[in-house]
Amino acid sequence: RLKPLNRLQVILPHLKMSNQTDSTAEVLLEKRGCAGVITLNRPKALNALNFSMIQQIYPQLKTWEQDPETFLIIIKGTGGKAFCAGGDIRAITEAGKVGDKLTEDFFRGEYRLNNAVGTCKKPYVALIDGITMGGGVGVSVHGHFRVATEKTLFAMPETAIGLFPDVGGGYFLPRLKGKIGYYLALTGCRLKGRDVLKAGIATHFVESGKLPALEKDLIALKSPSKENVADLLNSYQSTIDQEKEFVLDEHMEKINSIFSANSMEEIVKKLKQDGSPFAIKQLETINKMSPTSLKLTLRQLKEGASMSLQDVLRMEYRLSQACMKGHDFYEGVRAVLIDKDQSPRWKPPALEEVSDEFVDNCFKPLGDNDLKL
């Protein structure tokens, strides 16, 4: 039998962790085998990230990164529907309306977490099973490994709510092949399943039903290197839908030529000139988006294409604060999430009315208030 003191030493670490593994907690942080496991646990809210979750994940990620006994980090969601459907937009909206500091703190915390994922020295494996949008993309896409399944639904739908594809979107989107990232960012187009891998957003494609076994095998690895983790993930790769062509393949030529235009007005003009069913559909979509968001997004991606992740996140923080002070974000959230009438009244209502001077101002440094990474 264990001596009482020894027993206490065995139990204590578990007690320290137990508040984190309480099944009602919004995020579970557990050390299992060789891995630190982050479980986003707000299934009713599709695991959307709120401020308290961000505040818990960041220090734990940093601790695991330094811990010689932790060899990899796994992040996943509960509930079977979503990995993480985004950030807690409603809370930010409420805060913005009353001038609460959450509009600064949330983005600052979220972008610091995105940077921690992007700079993590330990292999970082995101199991992006189900809906993965906005904030969910931010805590997965910058890591070493992103495992998509047939249930994965990826999108960056921010231009529809008067925002822009943040969380480092300005870094990864322009780096996707051709102009696919520009297209996804401006239209909010959704990609499903294997297409998420084919677009270069995921690194692996595994059947959803095999994820528990994959996780178990990852946790059981003995002091694995990044190569060991990669080998294991490769051994789980599924061949389902492998022969199916990428959903955007037939449109890639058009996407590359139209979305390489220098301004939003020019993109719209090219879509009109093209006149194909595909072009008309994109035109209809773009016409629903916030004109301000579209202009900010196009410039964000053009600048982000040659920036480091850190510089992109600093730029995006400036843009987030400009959006918090503007009109379209609150109107977009009202129309899409609150009243759900899907008829936002954007100000200004037309691309031509969003001046270059206004856009320039949104990108200006914030002095002492700039994001520090």
Side-chain angles (χ1 to χ4, degrees), residues 146-170:
R146 285 91 62 191
V147 181
T149 74
E150 72 281 3
K151 287 169 38 183
T152 304
L153 175 65
F154 164 94
M156 293 297 274
E158 289 80 4
T159 55
I161 55 162
L163 213 51
F164 57 96
D166 63 336
V167 298

Side-chain angles (χ1 to χ4, degrees), residues 2-250:
L2 284 168
K3 292 201 183 90
L5 185 67
N6 283 5
R7 242 173 76 196
L8 197 60
Q9 282 170 332
V10 171
I11 296 166
L12 265 177
H14 296 283
L15 288 177
K16 275 220 310 259
M17 283 310 256
S18 69
N19 61 342
Q20 310 263 288
T21 52
D22 162 18
S23 61
T24 59
E26 296 176 321
V27 57
L28 312 177
L29 303 161
E30 304 163 88
K31 180 72 188 349
R32 289 166 53 200
C34 71
V37 183
I38 303 164
T39 309
L40 308 176
N41 190 34
R42 291 180 75 204
K44 287 199 176 81
L46 299 176
N47 300 324
L49 283 179
N50 61 26
F51 189 46
S52 97
M53 291 161 79
I54 290 166
Q55 282 179 302
Q56 291 172 67
I57 298 168
Y58 179 82
Q60 186 62 71
L61 184 57
K62 286 299 194 188
T63 303
W64 280 333
E65 191 177 16
Q66 299 304 320
D67 173 26
E69 297 302 303
T70 304
F71 289 89
L72 79 130
I73 289 152
I74 298 169
I75 184 167
K76 60 178 184 166
T78 54
K81 270 191 178 166
F83 162 64
C84 170
D88 196 350
I89 293 292
R90 279 171 183 253
I92 300 165
T93 309
E94 294 310 310
K97 285 180 184 164
V98 295
D100 186 294
K101 250 173 64 64
L102 184 69
T103 53
E104 295 174 24
D105 297 344
F106 181 89
F107 290 103
R108 195 173 272 136
E110 186 178 28
Y111 297 176
R112 279 179 70 202
L113 176 56
N114 301 150
N115 186 54
V117 171
T119 56
C120 188
K121 293 180 184 70
K122 305 274 166 87
Y124 184 98
V125 182
L127 305 175
I128 54 171
D129 189 31
I131 301 165
T132 305
M133 296 184 184
V137 176
V139 290
S140 58
V141 80
H142 306 296
H144 304 105
F145 304 106
R146 285 91 62 191
V147 181
T149 74
E150 72 281 3
K151 287 169 38 183
T152 304
L153 175 65
F154 164 94
M156 293 297 274
E158 289 80 4
T159 55
I161 55 162
L163 213 51
F164 57 96
D166 63 336
V167 298
Y171 182 78
F172 85 90
L173 288 163
R175 285 168 173 78
L176 297 176
K177 61 185 174 193
K179 292 290 170 186
I180 214 166
Y182 289 77
Y183 168 71
L184 295 173
L186 296 166
T187 65
C189 166
R190 298 174 167 206
L191 293 177
K192 293 184 186 142
R194 190 174 276 283
D195 287 327
V196 180
L197 174 72
K198 291 190 171 168
I201 294 155
T203 57
H204 292 79
F205 182 78
V206 173
E207 285 159 60
S208 181
K210 294 196 173 153
L211 288 185
L214 169 60
E215 191 184 334
K216 210 170 138 192
D217 284 350
L218 281 168
I219 287 164
L221 289 170
K222 298 279 174 265
S223 353
S225 65
K226 200 170 152 187
E227 287 67 37
N228 300 142
V229 174
D231 289 343
L232 180 61
L233 291 172
N234 291 339
S235 76
Y236 268 87
Q237 286 264 43
S238 162
T239 53
I240 289 178
D241 294 341
Q242 209 171 2
E243 66 302 321
K244 262 200 183 151
E245 77 166 329
F246 177 44
V247 68
L248 295 174
D249 256 356
E250 54 176 318

